Amino acid sequence: MARILLVEDNSANTKLALLLLHKVGHEVQCAVDAETGVALARADKPDLILMDIQLPGMDGLSATALLKEDPDTAHIPVIALTAMAMKADKEKSELAGCDGYIAKPLRYPALYAIIDAQLAKSYGRSR
């Protein structure tokens, strides 16, 4: 399965995401802030990033923009995770470079579907 970087500062959300991701065999690395997430993404080049939008310090959209501007990480799909499920928030995530968007609380069918779709696109480009 895939190597996923989860950038999430809420421990309950992290536990739920880890449970759902491990259940289907994904390997997960976690970061609790955007700065750590960007550093891990650059160092480890995960297959996909789940990025919380509201993070302490740098927000998830700024972190996504940094990753998408970097040729070494621009190819990594980033899925925005947010409790803000308004149309404008989705548009902001797209402008920052997010490849997908999912509202919290996480619902496993939607989470699995967006991960599978992004990984299929990513693997299709690299093969």
Side-chain angles (χ1 to χ4, degrees), residues 5 8 44:
L5 172 59
E8 171 64 68
D44 297 336

Side-chain angles (χ1 to χ4, degrees), residues 4-124:
I4 296 176
L5 172 59
L6 172 65
V7 185
E8 171 64 68
D9 65 322
N10 180 290
S11 63
N13 290 338
T14 298
K15 286 178 187 175
L16 175 59
L18 284 170
L19 176 75
L20 294 173
L21 296 168
H22 285 151
K23 185 175 182 174
V24 293
H26 294 302
E27 179 184 322
V28 185
Q29 188 172 30
C30 296
V32 295
D33 59 51
E35 292 85 355
T36 304
V38 168
L40 288 172
R42 287 178 172 157
D44 297 336
K45 312 287 188 305
D47 298 314
L48 183 134
I49 300 169
L50 295 172
M51 180 74 73
D52 184 17
I53 299 304
Q54 293 181 307
L55 293 165
M58 181 191 312
D59 67 31
L61 296 180
S62 299
T64 298
L66 283 175
L67 292 169
K68 292 300 183 173
E69 291 168 2
D70 183 339
D72 289 337
T73 55
H75 68 282
I76 302 170
V78 177
I79 299 171
L81 301 177
T82 184
M84 305 178 301
M86 306 298 280
K87 184 178 179 184
D89 296 314
K90 184 175 182 180
E91 291 169 357
K92 286 179 190 173
S93 72
E94 290 170 355
L95 287 172
C98 292
D99 300 282
Y101 177 93
I102 191 163
K104 294 183 211 173
L106 296 177
R107 290 170 181 81
Y108 75 90
L111 179 66
Y112 295 154
I114 196 164
I115 288 172
D116 290 346
Q118 289 301 320
L119 290 173
K121 276 190 210 176
S122 182
Y123 292 145

